[in-house]
Amino acid sequence: MAHLFCITASFMLERIRIVLIGTSHPGNIGAAARAMKTMGLEQLALVAPRCEGITPEAIARASGADDILERATHHDSLDTALTDCRWVVGASARSRHLPWPLCSPREFSARLPGEMQGHDVTVALVFGREDKGLTNEELQRCHTHVHIPTSSDYSSLNLAAAVQVLAYECRQAALATPSGLSEAMPGSVHPFGVEWDNPLANHADTERFFEHLERTLTDIGFHDPANPRQLMARLRRLYMRSRMDVMELNMLRGILTRVDRLQNPPTGPADQDESPH
Amino acid sequence: MAHLFCITASFMLERIRIVLIGTSHPGNIGAAARAMKTMGLEQLALVAPRCEGITPEAIARASGADDILERATHHDSLDTALTDCRWVVGASARSRHLPWPLCSPREFSARLPGEMQGHDVTVALVFGREDKGLTNEELQRCHTHVHIPTSSDYSSLNLAAAVQVLAYECRQAALATPSGLSEAMPGSVHPFGVEWDNPLANHADTERFFEHLERTLTDIGFHDPANPRQLMARLRRLYMRSRMDVMELNMLRGILTRVDRLQNPPTGPADQDESPH
């Protein structure tokens, strides 16, 4: 039974990706790897670190978790680190401009098993820079933000400590999942409380939709990229929190394509109409 | 303190509307009123009852809750019963065609205080016909469905009994809310876990948006009302579960208006462009 727990817990934990953006100190990368390994997490993605990633200091601080460092993936942009992810959670001290769905670490833990239903679901936990966290653009690529409550007298939680707390909550979620993660996964609840008819969209497809949406809204004169105000941020927030499934996303892209044609009618003599959905 | 509890609990309970659609038996309306009154609920809306509503039998079964019957509102359509509601919950034995967000009565109770933040929020609990429940069209006007789990051997829960269970859960929610419902409402959590920047859209505005969406999609040839497939149902499901706020809804309507103009350009010589958002 203990062995079964280990297998199913690690099946869940191995699909959780810790993403560190713009880290300044190799020691923090090493310490984050160590925090991950203590809780059974394996996937580390480094996005545009502002230091040489794997230095002797990083390895020293990893203290035996060098395998995590060795297997870490390196990315120029956050998007490539998230391509296959279906739930993206940003560690944040609250959204600065626009309120964004927010949960506590405990709520994150409670939702995790449901979010990870299905064999191919990867979840990302995104952590920002030591000095200034995540940018608004990065925060707006997250489905939800998670805020670690700290003392109001002393809120200076360092990067590896934040990774440690959320990695711990991941492990708690994995251990609390009674009978392993399968397609059906008894004992956990789908994000919508019911078995869904389509998989939720991944990050790459979602970003392609937002690019298409912005292009179309610009073409029809509703959006001015030179004076964006909060239009795209607000539309992102709306669609991100609905957690689009792949069929819904395809329908929305179909609508955009139809609008594109109104704006720029095809010039061919006998245009074949696409099936609407 | 007990007195304070009473005041704040009733402030919450008086903004919960029980909506009965197509009820066949006056006795059931009376029994539902009695169930409501035992738990402190006051608002009863009757939509197209298939019986004379307030008969001597209804009054007998109400057993002292006649005031609820007397103040009950009567409606030809579900939409007019829901106009001002910002959270619409349908009592359902699972959606038949399309999975829809679903919660248990306990989860409904836990979410209720957060959903009711703000003084002008009315919540509706919608119950269908004794014999065949809610239609798909009615179910698709709900943000979420709530399913009362019953014995697999004997699942015959009558209408007033279903009202009783959910009215009880409403009261539990009201009593558990520690310090009254105000704008800020400490002790309960906003649906998105954070203080939001705009009120959520009400039912009437949401329905106007869906009418506009369907009209525009039909005009641009993406939607064929004669062969609807599940297009509008799926779009409803997507936008309903995102819980649009009033600003988001206005932005989407602005986009639709812009697309309408592409399809039917204004004929005036010097058309004034509306502000995009």
Side-chain angles (χ1 to χ4, degrees):
Chain A
M1 191 61 193
H3 180 60
L4 180 65
F5 254 98
C6 282
I7 290 169
T8 58
S10 52
F11 179 63
M12 181 163 160
L13 295 169
E14 73 194 13
R15 293 183 293 133
I16 299 172
R17 184 173 307 154
I18 300 295
V19 179
L20 306 182
I21 305 184
T23 312
S24 296
H25 301 294
N28 287 335
I29 297 175
R34 180 176 182 174
M36 289 171 60
K37 188 157 183 166
T38 59
M39 296 296 151
L41 297 183
E42 300 178 8
Q43 289 193 41
L44 175 62
L46 303 175
V47 177
R50 292 179 293 167
C51 61
E52 225 182 306
I54 318 299
T55 65
E57 190 191 352
I59 292 166
R61 293 284 300 280
S63 189
D66 348 7
D67 54 328
I68 306 266
L69 293 180
E70 279 158 26
R71 280 183 282 111
T73 56
H74 293 71
H75 307 267
D76 294 332
S77 82
L78 176 57
D79 286 333
T80 61
L82 299 178
T83 306
D84 55 336
C85 295
R86 293 182 202 271
W87 196 36
V88 178
V89 178
S92 160
R94 257 150 251 260
S95 185
R96 275 143 287 186
H97 291 312
L98 199 59
W100 210 263
L102 182 70
C103 64
S104 69
R106 192 78 94 223
E107 288 161 350
F108 160 77
S109 182
R111 288 173 59 179
L112 193 56
E115 294 288 347
M116 297 196 74
Q117 286 193 63
H119 280 294
D120 62 343
V121 174
T122 296
V123 165
L125 265 168
V126 184
F127 296 84
R129 296 150 196 82
E130 289 97 333
D131 49 350
K132 48 190 199 295
L134 294 165
T135 65
N136 284 324
E137 196 179 61
E138 288 156 358
L139 286 166
Q140 289 166 10
R141 280 168 153 68
C142 300
H143 292 101
T144 189
H145 298 159
V146 59
H147 174 68
I148 302 175
T150 52
S151 163
S152 53
D153 293 336
Y154 185 72
S155 65
S156 166
L157 193 67
N158 76 31
L159 178 60
V163 171
Q164 186 71 70
V165 168
L166 293 178
Y168 158 79
E169 286 291 1
C170 290
R171 188 167 188 82
Q172 292 305 110
L175 293 176
T177 302
S179 54
L181 286 146
S182 65
E183 294 290 347
M185 196 152 73
S188 82
V189 170
H190 185 275
F192 307 141
V194 66
E195 202 182 332
W196 211 242
D197 49 344
N198 289 292
L200 301 187
N202 68 23
H203 178 82
D205 291 337
T206 303
E207 287 305 311
R208 273 190 286 269
F209 161 69
F210 285 124
E211 284 163 22
H212 193 169
L213 179 63
E214 182 161 18
R215 201 164 58 235
T216 300
L217 293 181
T218 306
D219 284 350
I220 66 173
F222 191 81
H223 174 53
D224 177 6
N227 180 22
R229 295 154 106 175
Q230 290 187 309
L231 178 68
M232 288 309 301
R234 287 186 180 276
L235 289 172
R236 267 186 177 274
R237 186 177 72 163
L238 170 68
Y239 288 109
M240 289 296 273
R241 75 174 187 266
S242 79
R243 312 293 309 280
M244 288 177 286
D245 71 33
V246 293
M247 189 171 181
E248 290 162 348
L249 190 143
N250 285 337
M251 281 171 31
L252 293 176
R253 292 210 58 181
I255 294 171
L256 291 174
T257 299
R258 187 63 65 117
V259 173
D260 294 342
R261 286 218 211 163
L262 287 179
Q263 180 70 9
N264 300 303
T267 48
D271 180 52
Q272 285 293 324
D273 215 15
E274 88 278 21
S275 171
H277 44 99
Chain B
M1 191 60 193
H3 181 58
L4 181 66
F5 254 99
C6 281
I7 291 170
T8 58
S10 52
F11 179 62
M12 180 163 160
L13 295 169
E14 73 194 12
R15 293 183 292 132
I16 299 173
R17 184 173 305 153
I18 300 295
V19 179
L20 306 183
I21 305 185
T23 314
S24 296
H25 302 292
N28 287 336
I29 296 175
R34 180 177 183 174
M36 289 171 59
K37 189 157 181 165
T38 59
M39 296 296 151
L41 298 183
E42 301 177 8
Q43 288 192 41
L44 174 62
L46 303 175
V47 178
R50 292 180 295 168
C51 61
E52 228 182 305
I54 318 299
T55 65
E57 191 192 349
I59 293 166
R61 293 283 301 280
S63 189
D66 345 9
D67 55 327
I68 305 267
L69 293 179
E70 280 158 24
R71 282 185 280 109
T73 56
H74 294 70
H75 307 266
D76 293 333
S77 81
L78 177 57
D79 285 334
T80 62
L82 299 179
T83 306
D84 56 337
C85 295
R86 294 181 202 270
W87 195 37
V88 178
V89 178
S92 159
R94 256 148 252 260
S95 186
R96 276 143 288 186
H97 291 312
L98 200 57
W100 209 264
L102 183 71
C103 64
S104 69
R106 193 77 95 225
E107 288 160 350
F108 159 77
S109 183
R111 286 173 59 179
L112 193 55
E115 293 289 347
M116 298 196 74
Q117 286 194 62
H119 281 294
D120 63 343
V121 174
T122 295
V123 165
L125 264 168
V126 184
F127 296 85
R129 296 149 196 84
E130 290 96 332
D131 50 348
K132 47 189 197 292
L134 295 164
T135 65
N136 284 324
E137 197 178 58
E138 289 156 358
L139 286 165
Q140 288 165 11
R141 280 168 152 69
C142 300
H143 292 101
T144 188
H145 298 159
V146 58
H147 175 67
I148 301 175
T150 52
S151 163
S152 52
D153 293 336
Y154 185 72
S155 64
S156 167
L157 193 67
N158 76 31
L159 177 60
V163 171
Q164 186 71 71
V165 168
L166 294 178
Y168 158 80
E169 286 291 1
C170 290
R171 187 167 189 81
Q172 292 306 110
L175 293 175
T177 302
S179 54
L181 286 146
S182 65
E183 295 289 350
M185 195 154 73
S188 83
V189 170
H190 184 277
F192 306 141
V194 66
E195 202 182 333
W196 210 241
D197 49 345
N198 288 292
L200 300 187
N202 68 22
H203 178 81
D205 291 336
T206 303
E207 285 306 310
R208 274 191 284 271
F209 162 68
F210 285 125
E211 284 163 23
H212 193 170
L213 179 63
E214 180 160 19
R215 201 164 57 238
T216 300
L217 294 181
T218 306
D219 284 350
I220 66 173
F222 192 80
H223 174 53
D224 177 7
N227 179 23
R229 295 154 106 175
Q230 291 187 308
L231 178 68
M232 288 309 300
R234 288 187 179 276
L235 289 172
R236 267 185 177 275
R237 186 176 73 164
L238 170 67
Y239 289 109
M240 289 296 273
R241 74 173 189 268
S242 78
R243 312 293 309 280
M244 288 177 286
D245 70 36
V246 293
M247 187 171 183
E248 290 162 349
L249 190 144
N250 285 336
M251 281 171 29
L252 293 176
R253 292 209 58 180
I255 295 171
L256 291 174
T257 299
R258 187 62 65 119
V259 172
D260 294 342
R261 286 218 210 163
L262 286 181
Q263 180 70 5
N264 300 302
T267 47
D271 180 53
Q272 285 292 325
D273 215 15
E274 87 278 23
S275 170
H277 44 100

